[in-house]
Amino acid sequence: MDHNIKSIRPFIGAKNFKLSRSFYSDLGFEETVLAPNFSVFKTNEIAFYLQDYYAKEWIENTMIFLEVDDVDRYYAELLALNLSEKYSGVKLTPIRNLEWGRECFLHDPSGVLWHFGAFKK
């Protein structure tokens, strides 16, 4: 099987679609509205779809790993955004050092867990 993959775009849901759209814009993603209840958020070649749909069990079990070049810088930038103060339910967890690398965590307003990490070189 020959893989000429150009991207992977997960679909995530939102408990409050308008609030989640604002949250992801604050994170620096560029939004393109595809329908009144459906948008794509991009940065460089990375993208994901946000939909106005909420299923508690699905959302609270959704995790996305985003590899970054510098976890320390990324964490500092996340802290500076004060997302936990601006959005109810948002939680930023400090950097953890693990066998494979480093990462910090961010729960979005709906409960989706984002991992921002870097692998050991």
Side-chain angles (χ1 to χ4, degrees):
M1 192 163 149
D2 185 19
H3 292 281
N4 268 335
I5 297 170
K6 296 190 183 218
S7 73
I8 185 168
R9 295 182 179 188
F11 288 73
I12 61 174
K15 190 173 192 176
N16 179 324
F17 187 61
K18 183 178 178 183
L19 186 73
S20 290
R21 289 174 64 203
S22 176
F23 173 81
Y24 286 113
S25 292
D26 283 352
L27 273 179
F29 290 97
E30 180 182 325
E31 179 183 18
T32 300
V33 176
L34 302 174
N37 61 350
F38 190 59
S39 291
V40 63
F41 285 83
K42 296 180 184 177
T43 183
N44 300 320
E45 298 300 316
I46 305 299
F48 64 92
Y49 295 103
L50 181 70
Q51 53 192 335
D52 189 7
Y53 176 79
Y54 179 77
K56 183 176 172 43
E57 295 79 18
W58 170 51
I59 298 297
E60 290 183 354
N61 284 290
T62 298
M63 293 185 280
I64 300 173
F65 183 90
L66 186 65
E67 185 179 1
V68 297
D69 63 343
D70 184 336
V71 178
D72 292 307
R73 187 192 82 244
Y74 208 85
Y75 180 72
E77 291 174 2
L78 288 171
L79 273 175
L81 292 173
N82 293 314
L83 297 169
S84 299
E85 295 171 16
K86 187 172 181 181
Y87 298 98
S88 178
V90 170
K91 179 183 174 188
L92 178 61
T93 303
I95 297 169
R96 293 184 185 172
N97 295 304
L98 304 162
E99 290 180 23
W100 56 266
R102 308 173 76 223
E103 67 180 341
C104 63
F105 306 95
L106 181 68
H107 285 88
D108 85 352
S110 301
V112 173
L113 177 59
W114 286 79
H115 297 242
F116 300 103
F119 297 99
K120 285 184 180 176
K121 296 177 181 176

